[in-house]
Amino acid sequence: MKIILTGDRPTGKLHLGHFVGSLRERVKLQNSGEFDKIFIMIADAQALTDHADNPEKVRENIFNVALDYLSVGLDPKKSTLFIQSQIAELFELTAYYLNVVTVSRLERNPTVKNEIAQKNFETSIPAGFLCYPVSQAADITAFDANIVPVGEDQIPMLEQTREIVRKINDIYGEVLVEPDILLPKNQICRRLPGIDGKAKMSKTLGNCIYLSDDSKILAEKIKNMYTDPLHIKVSDPGHIEGNVVFTYLDAFCEDKKIVDDMKEHYQRGGLGDVKVKKFLLEVLENILSPIRQRRADYEKNPDEVLKILREGTENARQKASEVLKRLKRAMKINYFD
Ligand code: ATP
Ligand code: MG
């Protein structure tokens, strides 16, 4: 069996980082027909681990993320779209997994460490937040997923999941499936930088181009994008390292030859930022306009979107409950069977 699980936190609309890091890959995998099951989760419970005081934001973004999913081409006939918090089994699994994870192991997770610094939690880290990688292990294993297509920031999460799986299997017998991470082949797509040149495009950092941005906003964001601060006159030789406009061309432009020629010209001098940005706008418009179109269609039909999520969630719950039963049997806590 080949089973995929992946997902996103409903803390905002999805952006180009999600697109190249995971969404685009998911759609390809979905349409390859090679997978027995594809589960796509809106991780609202995980979002609440650092938004406990802002449930409205999470609630509102469930719909946004669902629209983003449908608009990039995830097809509810082929992929199961569901909402994490509505599957109680996931939290039961988490509780048992927490017993095989040490606090110091949780504190060592580099992605979580980074996020703690970014969010200025200092010594007030919500316990749920520190433990979210364990809940992620539950999300993945609850569906017997063996493939998890995600961006680079998820490498430590997958490592931690695999450790948990091995420990549980060691103690209780082969009961869980050990998953593999699937990173985008293109290195740049594993961690797309923000439009400000910062290492990662992220909702938290507010440096995103959203899939739902209209043409005008897109043009504005590209216009203000970070390039080469030393490239002042058009005739000056420019640098492409750390120049986000070129990074995005590498991530999004199919025609590598054009990009290589532009890079060469830019480095030689004589190619202005305005021209390069205009080309990037064209490339991104071509990708985003069909996405916007599909979004607009679904936006008119919120009941349909809700129905997709309800049915997906019911479907996902069945699978999770089978896996939970299997684990409880292995743990010999199935007293009433
Ligand atoms: P938040 O700031 O709320 O954590 P986020 O922008 O980091 O939001 P997530 O929902 O945490 O987004 O990430 C969902 C998925 O998208 C993960 O698989 C993650 O690896 C991928 N992803 C997010 N940002 C990027 C990026 N800039 N480049 C590549 N992949 C990304
Ligand atoms: Mg994140």
Side-chain angles (χ1 to χ4, degrees), residues 248-288:
Y248 283 22
L249 285 177
D250 282 332
F252 295 100
C253 182
E254 304 272 350
D255 192 334
K256 301 297 165 213
K257 170 89 175 58
I258 298 188
V259 180
D260 286 342
D261 289 349
M262 282 185 122
K263 282 182 182 169
E264 197 269 327
H265 191 178
Y266 191 82
Q267 286 172 304
R268 185 164 24 100
L271 179 60
D273 283 323
V274 174
K275 270 210 179 127
V276 192
K277 285 183 169 180
K278 186 162 165 262
F279 180 58
L280 177 62
L281 178 61
E282 228 176 270
V283 169
L284 289 180
E285 269 297 329
N286 279 335
I287 295 175
L288 292 180

Side-chain angles (χ1 to χ4, degrees), residues 127-295:
F129 187 79
L130 193 65
C131 297
Y132 90 70
V134 181
S135 121
Q136 244 178 272
D139 303 332
I140 296 168
T141 54
F143 301 97
D144 287 333
N146 40 17
I147 295 162
V148 185
V150 282
E152 188 177 80
D153 60 325
Q154 294 299 310
I155 294 173
M157 308 310 173
L158 260 289
E159 263 168 27
Q160 214 164 346
T161 297
R162 290 163 64 95
E163 276 173 41
I164 291 170
V165 167
R166 283 190 224 119
K167 282 210 180 120
I168 294 276
N169 286 351
D170 248 17
I171 306 172
Y172 306 113
E174 288 297 309
V175 62
L176 299 179
V177 174
E178 196 171 321
D180 281 312
I181 194 167
L182 183 68
L183 293 164
K185 281 188 200 74
N186 183 344
Q187 198 74 31
I188 290 167
C189 298
R190 296 178 178 192
R191 193 187 58 199
L192 191 76
I195 50 176
D196 55 358
K198 289 220 181 88
K200 184 180 176 262
M201 180 177 288
S202 140
K203 286 170 268 177
T204 306
L205 296 174
N207 55 5
C208 308
I209 291 176
Y210 292 98
L211 295 174
S212 46
D213 282 347
D214 63 25
S215 304
K216 203 169 146 236
I217 293 177
L218 178 67
E220 192 63 26
K221 284 183 177 173
I222 292 179
K223 199 175 115 211
N224 294 323
M225 232 156 115
Y226 182 85
T227 56
D228 171 14
L230 303 174
H231 187 239
I232 297 158
K233 287 194 290 257
V234 173
S235 55
D236 289 342
H239 297 83
I240 54 167
E241 303 77 31
N243 185 325
V244 210
V245 181
F246 282 103
T247 312
Y248 283 22
L249 285 177
D250 282 332
F252 295 100
C253 182
E254 304 272 350
D255 192 334
K256 301 297 165 213
K257 170 89 175 58
I258 298 188
V259 180
D260 286 342
D261 289 349
M262 282 185 122
K263 282 182 182 169
E264 197 269 327
H265 191 178
Y266 191 82
Q267 286 172 304
R268 185 164 24 100
L271 179 60
D273 283 323
V274 174
K275 270 210 179 127
V276 192
K277 285 183 169 180
K278 186 162 165 262
F279 180 58
L280 177 62
L281 178 61
E282 228 176 270
V283 169
L284 289 180
E285 269 297 329
N286 279 335
I287 295 175
L288 292 180
S289 69
I291 295 178
R292 283 187 208 122
Q293 188 55 53
R294 259 192 304 246
R295 188 178 230 276

